[in-house]
């Protein structure tokens, strides 16, 4: 039988078959997959690799990993396979042609996608006899193997618990629940906050640069502003949970004037004002919905209203 594992490496895989917790297959060797492979090898794991671009395998093979010639061979090598891919479409492209090799396997997909696509993937794998644990890695490749790093996980608790020790070699493991979409939901929530915050910083820096202020000069002030956000979030959280937006601390109408000043400052500096202009439109939408005297947190109702219109 052709296992897809080169003959010279097959005995290496078989020697670790009995020690499930110390043996893993890794598919996808971009920067994140490479980092995972190195950490697993450093911690004494037998790692079987497959990648669509074979050249990316060589560095880890030199460090002791086993190269599988085929996806089927990679799946056959271990009960646990970790995927580090661009998105779930790539998972289907790789696994569908060899779906007969999936029965009895646990797939941990650490690729980014939507919660709904994660749920569909769980059903697709279940139909082929496999279990899916979804994961959202909250660190860049440099954070893999660090004690303060973490990953959201969701899916069958039994499957997660069976391989928790292995997953914790990569990062801390924050299990969110049985719903396979939860890990991606928490992940995308974090990405929502991260990207909007960082784009806001870049626009502010462009405004600073246009006025002769460097990134280094802005750094302490940008850091102070961003480090104040947890306090604001903590203050507003009980009110948001209760659906209350009293205008006792701030009012949306005041926020409109503030954001208009940001737009005008950007225009006066000759930089693109699309970002603050988009924020201003959100504030104006809240005004149109009657929230002028309420807190700016009432803008959450405009987002929810958009969701209702789209259902």
């Amino acid at each position: 039988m052709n296992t897809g594992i080169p003959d010279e490496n097959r005995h290496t895989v078989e020697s670790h078959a009995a020690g499930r917790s110390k043996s893993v297959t890794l598919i996808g060797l971009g920067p994140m997959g490479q980092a995972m492979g190195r950490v697993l090898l450093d911690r004494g794991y037998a790692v079987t690799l497959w990648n669509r671009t074979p050249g990316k395998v060589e560095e880890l093979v030199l460090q002791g990993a086993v190269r599988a010639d085929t996806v089927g061979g990679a799946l056959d090598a271990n009960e646990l396979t970790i995927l580090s891919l661009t998105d779930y479409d790539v998972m289907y492209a790789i696994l569908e042609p060899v779906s007969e090799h999936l029965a009895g396997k646990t797939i941990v997909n650490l690729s980014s996608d939507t919660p709904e696509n994660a749920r569909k993937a769980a059903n697709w794998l279940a139909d082929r006899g496999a279990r899916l644990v979804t994961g959202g890695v909250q660190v860049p490749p440099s954070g893999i193997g660090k004690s303060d790093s973490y990953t959201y996980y969701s899916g069958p608790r039994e499957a997660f618990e069976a391989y928790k020790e292995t997953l914790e070699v990569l990062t801390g493991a924050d299990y969110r629940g049985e719903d396979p979409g939860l890990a991606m939901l928490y992940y995308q929530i974090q990405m929502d906050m991260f990207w909007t915050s960082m784009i806001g910083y870049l626009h502010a820096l462009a405004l600073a640069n246009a006025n002769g202020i460097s990134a280094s000069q802005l750094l302490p002030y940008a850091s102070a502003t961003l480090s104040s956000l947890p306090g604001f979030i903590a203050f507003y959280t009980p009110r948001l949970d209760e659906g209350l937006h009293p205008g006792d601390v701030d009012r949306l109408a005041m926020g409109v004037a503030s954001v208009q000043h940001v737009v005008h400052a950007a225009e006066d500096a000759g930089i693109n004002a699309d970002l603050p202009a988009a924020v201003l439109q959100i504030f104006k939408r809240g005004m149109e919905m009657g929230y002028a005297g309420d807190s700016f947190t009432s803008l959450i109702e405009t987002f929810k209203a958009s969701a209702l219109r789209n259902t």
Side-chain angles (χ1 to χ4, degrees):
M1 174 177 150
N2 182 6
T3 64
I5 303 292
D7 291 339
E8 65 272 19
N9 292 331
R10 193 172 303 153
H11 71 281
T12 306
V13 175
E14 291 171 352
S15 68
H16 290 279
R20 180 181 67 179
S21 65
K22 299 291 288 184
S23 182
V24 60
T25 289
L26 179 60
I27 293 179
L29 294 174
M32 185 67 77
Q34 291 275 349
M36 292 177 181
R38 285 192 294 269
V39 168
L40 288 165
L41 289 167
D42 288 345
R43 302 292 176 84
Y45 279 74
V47 181
T48 298
L49 306 171
W50 186 86
N51 193 69
R52 288 186 296 180
T53 306
K56 291 185 177 181
V57 174
E58 299 308 319
E59 180 182 343
L60 292 175
V61 168
L62 291 174
Q63 296 177 41
V66 175
R67 173 180 53 82
D69 287 335
T70 66
V71 179
L75 291 170
D76 290 345
N78 294 291
E79 294 180 15
L80 172 65
T81 292
I82 297 175
L83 305 181
S84 179
L85 307 169
T86 304
D87 54 31
Y88 277 50
D89 284 342
V90 179
M91 179 200 75
Y92 292 120
I94 291 172
L95 297 186
E96 192 161 21
V98 295
S99 58
E100 69 275 11
H101 293 265
L102 289 169
K105 305 299 182 181
T106 296
I107 307 297
V108 175
N109 195 339
L110 301 181
S111 314
S112 176
D113 215 305
T114 67
E116 188 56 31
N117 281 345
R119 295 181 183 109
K120 291 177 180 177
N123 291 332
W124 183 83
L125 283 163
D127 289 343
R128 288 152 182 80
R131 302 181 298 182
L132 175 66
V133 175
T134 58
V137 183
Q138 291 298 295
V139 293
S142 59
I144 298 300
K146 303 291 180 61
S147 59
D148 58 347
S149 301
Y150 67 98
T151 297
Y152 296 123
Y153 289 101
S154 62
R157 177 176 286 276
E158 181 182 356
F160 169 75
E161 293 293 343
Y163 296 104
K164 182 179 178 181
E165 181 180 350
T166 299
L167 298 176
E168 287 182 333
V169 169
L170 303 176
T171 68
D174 185 352
Y175 179 72
R176 295 286 80 210
E178 295 271 346
D179 176 357
L182 283 174
M184 274 298 99
L185 177 60
Y186 275 86
Y187 176 81
Q188 299 304 349
I189 287 169
Q190 300 299 318
M191 290 298 98
D192 189 349
M193 290 189 286
F194 175 80
W195 288 121
T196 52
S197 298
M198 290 304 296
I199 292 300
Y201 160 71
L202 291 176
H203 189 273
L205 180 58
L207 178 57
N209 288 166
N211 287 275
I213 301 169
S214 69
S216 297
Q217 291 172 312
L218 183 63
L219 176 60
Y221 302 100
S223 297
T225 297
L226 294 175
S227 64
S228 72
L229 293 183
F232 284 102
I233 293 172
F235 173 79
Y236 287 113
T237 288
R239 298 181 176 206
L240 287 163
D241 278 343
E242 294 180 17
L244 301 176
H245 312 287
D248 57 336
V249 175
D250 68 280
R251 293 184 180 178
L252 186 62
M254 296 169 58
V256 170
S258 176
V259 178
Q260 283 177 327
H261 296 156
V262 176
V263 172
H264 294 156
E267 292 172 342
D268 291 346
I271 69 167
N272 186 291
D274 287 353
L275 181 61
V279 174
L280 181 59
Q281 288 305 309
I282 295 170
F283 273 71
K284 287 182 175 180
R285 190 181 309 137
M287 295 282 285
E288 292 168 0
M289 294 177 66
Y291 297 125
D294 296 329
S295 168
F296 85 98
T297 60
S298 60
L299 293 176
I300 193 172
E301 307 302 336
T302 72
F303 299 137
K304 292 178 179 178
S306 296
L308 289 172
R309 287 197 298 271
N310 291 329
T311 58

